[in-house]
Amino acid sequence: MFAALLVLAAGLRGVVFAAYHPALIFPDSVRYLQYAHNFATGHWSVDALRQSGYSVLVVPVLLLHDMWIIPLVQHLVGLATAGLVYAVLIRFGTPAWLAAVATIGVFFDPLQLVLEQYVLTDTWTVFLLVAALAVLVWRRDGPGCRRCAACGLLLGVAVTFRDEELIMIVPAVLYVLVAVRPRRRTIERLGALIGCFLIPVAGYLGWFDASHGQWSFTTFSGAFLYGRVADFASCSGLNLPSYERPLCPAQPPALRNADYYTWDPSSPQWTFTPPAGMSRDAVVENFSLRILRHQPLGYAEAVGRDFIYGFSPVRGAGPEKYSPAYLQFHTYVLPDPQADASIGALGYRAPAVRPAPAAFLTDYGRWFYLPGPVFAAGLLLGLTGLIAGKRRSGQDRSGQDRGDQDRGDQDRGDQDRGDQDRGDQDRGDQDRGGRERGQPDACRLAGLLFTASAVLVLVPPAAFATFDWRYQLPQLTLIPVAAILGLNTIISRLTSSSQRAKSNPEATPKAEGQTYACGGDGQDGISSEDLPRPG
């Protein structure tokens, strides 16, 4: 089934590639291309507005002077991302057909397809995140130093593409804390993870400092935050310095447009005069932080509203009314004379449309996409799996303790010594399999990593940016994995509960002709690969 979906998805990407040639352009695309051109010509000053990791990546394309290579490679990266989703789920014992179903969003959702055709960071960022998580969970007995180091490095590179991905180190650290046994190895693994994460991050910050004289990712952090708070800001009762008062929005909140306050040249943040000795961005950032302290509930409401809207049934303009038209297929290219002129100055022609494939894609995008409630249900399923897995682990431990005590009370003499010998042998076999008695269930922990990642990756855009469907792209990969791992954990719990209800308490699922959905993870976190097989 996966192979059939892969072929169909590749064909669909061929239609997208043919319809909009050489690539789709967004205002951010212009900056990425301009700085890639600068780097290719030996000018290595980093962009002050957007992270330049992506620009470094596309330098070889600029040297070849063929912009169509960018979307072509990104379509391949999209297919590779789906392959990672499939591989992780198969690794944890998911049936092949169900693992293939989890890839439908990455394979066929119009949001994924159109972003692969743009000169934008999104496709690569999601691929790096999924690759990092896949590397971290690949060994069911916990990640070693090399895997932790590789995960940290991939996450750090993702940050050089988009600084909002800084938060992704949090679920990775959480996973290492709960998955690595014995505890004496935890610090070693965390050191490898965080140390390698900091290598590209610190390197980029140093590069930025050399270019702009400050240790940061951008000189526009205040401008972005102002656009976020302007939507609800009220200066009533707020003691402000005189030079910050012009930043107070004059319009009623219902009439405000966050995009206007962020980018429009007539916005208060671009028309006021900062005092001597202070930068414009520093003043704007100070004002925005005052608003956050003054209206914490208003800010929390705005963040929560944006977060929840990401799971809405229809992909509309969002709470801040930012148009999603550029993320939809059309039979025309949205006009942007300034962007066309900018890429023309670099020697590239403006995007062109081929009517027939564009018409097909327009109809396709109108009728097929995965609605938000599907992802909300998937996230709920992932969370339910975590709860079920936690209860199962507690019951397994208590049941094991009671069983051991009862057998100790009933058996004496030679029988007791025989049981002890067999227990020693089982523990030795288990240690050789790389699993310790009582180790948490690997599938549940993988579900924890992907569920936490699916939630946390959506928080920075909701907290610091205008709502944009671009920022919801990780839903298509992380939530399906979290949902199916959660389902696997629930099935494993039901299977083990049924097993405990049988008259023979020592029968294994393998002996009863059943398998655990989570790659055979049985009671006490023992992999079915390490359990004795029936004769």
Side-chain angles (χ1 to χ4, degrees):
M1 182 176 177
F2 176 77
L5 294 177
L6 177 63
V7 171
L8 291 174
L12 187 57
R13 280 162 171 78
V15 176
V16 177
F17 184 73
Y20 308 100
H21 202 72
L24 291 173
I25 298 296
F26 188 69
D28 292 355
S29 309
V30 175
R31 298 192 71 90
Y32 294 133
L33 291 172
Q34 287 174 336
Y35 276 84
H37 181 268
N38 291 347
F39 300 155
T41 56
H43 299 85
W44 287 94
S45 180
V46 69
D47 189 0
L49 176 60
R50 303 292 182 188
Q51 281 70 61
S52 293
Y54 181 73
S55 295
V56 174
L57 179 70
V58 301
V59 164
V61 176
L62 271 291
L63 293 175
L64 294 172
H65 211 74
D66 285 317
M67 190 165 61
W68 58 267
I69 297 176
I70 296 176
L72 176 63
V73 173
Q74 289 179 171
H75 286 310
L76 296 176
V77 169
L79 296 175
T81 303
L84 288 172
V85 169
Y86 182 77
V88 168
L89 291 174
I90 290 295
R91 180 69 172 172
F92 284 92
T94 305
W97 69 268
L98 185 57
V101 167
T103 66
I104 288 177
V106 188
F107 271 151
F108 300 109
D109 195 285
L111 180 64
Q112 176 78 32
L113 297 174
V114 74
L115 282 171
E116 290 174 11
Q117 190 66 20
Y118 269 101
V119 181
L120 289 173
T121 64
D122 303 82
T123 301
W124 278 99
T125 302
V126 171
F127 172 76
L128 289 169
L129 296 183
V130 176
L133 301 184
V135 166
L136 196 60
V137 301
W138 194 252
R139 286 185 57 179
R140 293 197 297 268
D141 58 346
C145 277
R146 291 183 180 179
R147 293 191 177 275
C148 288
C151 173
L153 192 62
L154 289 168
L155 292 178
V157 172
V159 173
T160 69
F161 284 33
R162 197 159 60 195
D163 62 347
E164 289 92 341
E165 312 310 334
L166 277 168
I167 199 170
M168 290 299 293
I169 192 63
V170 175
V173 167
L174 175 63
Y175 176 80
V176 172
L177 285 173
V178 298
V180 174
R181 301 289 179 87
R183 291 302 184 188
R184 64 179 180 272
R185 297 179 182 172
T186 302
I187 296 179
E188 180 185 46
R189 304 294 194 269
L190 284 177
L193 173 69
I194 298 173
C196 288
F197 173 75
L198 290 176
I199 291 173
V201 172
Y204 188 89
L205 291 172
W207 183 19
F208 195 95
D209 181 59
S211 300
H212 301 287
Q214 63 184 79
W215 194 258
S216 182
F217 290 101
T218 176
T219 59
F220 284 76
S221 57
F224 294 136
L225 188 58
Y226 179 76
R228 190 71 188 94
V229 304
D231 193 46
F232 61 87
S234 172
C235 295
S236 176
L238 185 60
N239 185 20
L240 292 172
S242 59
Y243 55 83
E244 289 186 11
R245 291 197 175 278
L247 294 172
C248 294
Q251 294 176 306
L255 300 179
R256 296 176 191 173
N257 184 295
D259 194 54
Y260 162 81
Y261 282 98
T262 304
W263 299 113
D264 197 289
S266 61
S267 165
Q269 73 161 317
W270 303 116
T271 57
F272 88 106
T273 302
M278 294 188 69
S279 69
R280 181 181 303 274
D281 194 70
V283 175
V284 171
E285 186 172 18
N286 288 340
F287 171 82
S288 302
L289 293 175
R290 293 182 203 275
I291 293 295
L292 296 184
R293 291 190 291 268
H294 181 58
Q295 297 175 265
L297 295 181
Y299 179 60
E301 180 184 357
V303 172
R305 186 171 61 242
D306 275 21
F307 185 90
I308 293 173
Y309 189 83
F311 299 95
S312 63
V314 179
R315 291 176 180 171
E320 291 84 33
K321 304 298 185 290
Y322 185 75
S323 174
Y326 81 101
L327 295 174
Q328 299 166 347
F329 292 122
H330 302 282
T331 55
Y332 55 88
V333 174
L334 297 175
D336 191 340
Q338 184 177 357
D340 293 344
S342 297
I343 64 172
L346 297 175
Y348 299 103
R349 59 186 176 90
V353 176
R354 292 185 173 94
F360 166 78
L361 291 170
T362 301
D363 291 336
Y364 173 84
R366 183 180 298 119
W367 295 108
F368 178 82
Y369 68 93
L370 295 178
V374 172
F375 292 106
L379 191 58
L380 181 61
L381 187 58
L383 293 170
T384 303
L386 296 181
I387 297 172
K390 182 66 174 176
R391 291 181 59 190
R392 171 189 160 195
S393 297
Q395 290 177 359
D396 287 344
R397 284 192 295 269
S398 62
Q400 182 70 40
D401 292 341
R402 287 194 300 271
D404 290 344
Q405 182 176 355
D406 291 342
R407 284 191 297 273
D409 292 339
Q410 294 173 2
D411 298 332
R412 293 292 185 266
D414 292 340
Q415 181 64 42
D416 181 76
R417 288 192 295 272
D419 288 344
Q420 181 177 356
D421 291 341
R422 283 192 294 274
D424 292 342
Q425 181 179 353
D426 289 343
R427 282 190 293 273
D429 292 340
Q430 185 176 339
D431 289 341
R432 287 191 294 274
R435 307 282 296 194
E436 295 186 358
R437 186 180 182 89
Q439 181 167 344
D441 179 46
C443 187
R444 177 173 59 87
L445 294 180
L448 171 64
L449 176 63
F450 278 91
T451 303
S453 298
V455 173
L456 291 177
V457 75
L458 301 177
V459 170
F464 304 115
T466 302
F467 183 88
D468 190 336
W469 284 103
R470 275 177 64 189
Y471 305 138
Q472 306 301 309
L473 188 67
Q475 283 190 12
L476 303 182
T477 53
L478 300 181
I479 290 181
V481 177
I484 292 180
L485 289 176
L487 178 63
N488 287 352
T489 302
I490 293 170
I491 293 174
S492 283
R493 168 162 161 67
L494 294 176
T495 303
S496 60
S497 296
S498 174
Q499 182 61 50
R500 283 193 297 269
K502 294 182 181 295
S503 58
N504 181 6
E506 295 189 8
T508 67
K510 290 285 185 181
E512 297 297 326
Q514 302 179 19
T515 59
Y516 284 106
C518 280
D521 284 330
Q523 295 181 6
D524 296 328
I526 304 173
S527 172
S528 60
E529 297 173 356
D530 300 323
L531 289 171
R533 299 187 180 275

